[in-house]
Amino acid sequence: PMFMLNCFVLTSLDSATRLGRFIVQETLPFSVLKNRWFAGLVMIIPAVVLGATNAWTAIWAIFGSANQLIATLTLFVISTYLLTLKKPTNYTLYPAIFMAFTTVSALIYLTFWKFLPQGKIFLCTTSIILLSLSFFVFFKVYVFFSSYGKTKNIN
């Protein structure tokens, strides 16, 4: 069992590092980041610092919210895909709406009733960024669902 746990941890770490490196290489325009070793270090060094200093406990409070927002986004994407296939969306859209409501409510509570009174500016800022991005995505999903089928595609 311990061997399997070690394999799981190492493969998860490898996957996260590779995906992070790809994101860094694709999104940042600096040519030095095109080097896979340097881009990998850009991803690994902050993780090592967070782990070695126990600073990860500071961001752990909003990690769950970020994770739930990714799941919500996935359900919204699947719902829009199902809609374009003219398939039922009830099984993915309603859970996505529920998850969006509960996660955004939790983030608002954490931001204004926990982080702000405690002076945790970094967590407040990160939460507000997550909320802003969430509302942007929710608006886009709403526009797509409300306008789907009302316009004719001209091809």
Side-chain angles (χ1 to χ4, degrees), residues 92-110:
T92 55
L93 184 61
Y94 294 145
I97 293 169
F98 175 76
M99 288 177 65
F101 179 75
T102 55
T103 306
V104 165
S105 299
L107 260 179
I108 290 171
Y109 171 77
L110 284 173

Side-chain angles (χ1 to χ4, degrees), residues 2-16:
M2 193 57 150
F3 176 73
M4 291 174 59
L5 177 65
N6 286 337
C7 289
F8 171 74
V9 169
L10 290 175
T11 55
S12 297
L13 177 65
D14 179 58
S15 297

Side-chain angles (χ1 to χ4, degrees), residues 110-123:
L110 284 173
T111 303
F112 297 106
W113 283 273
K114 284 259 194 176
F115 302 148
L116 197 58
Q118 295 174 359
K120 296 181 177 179
I121 303 303
F122 175 75
L123 292 177

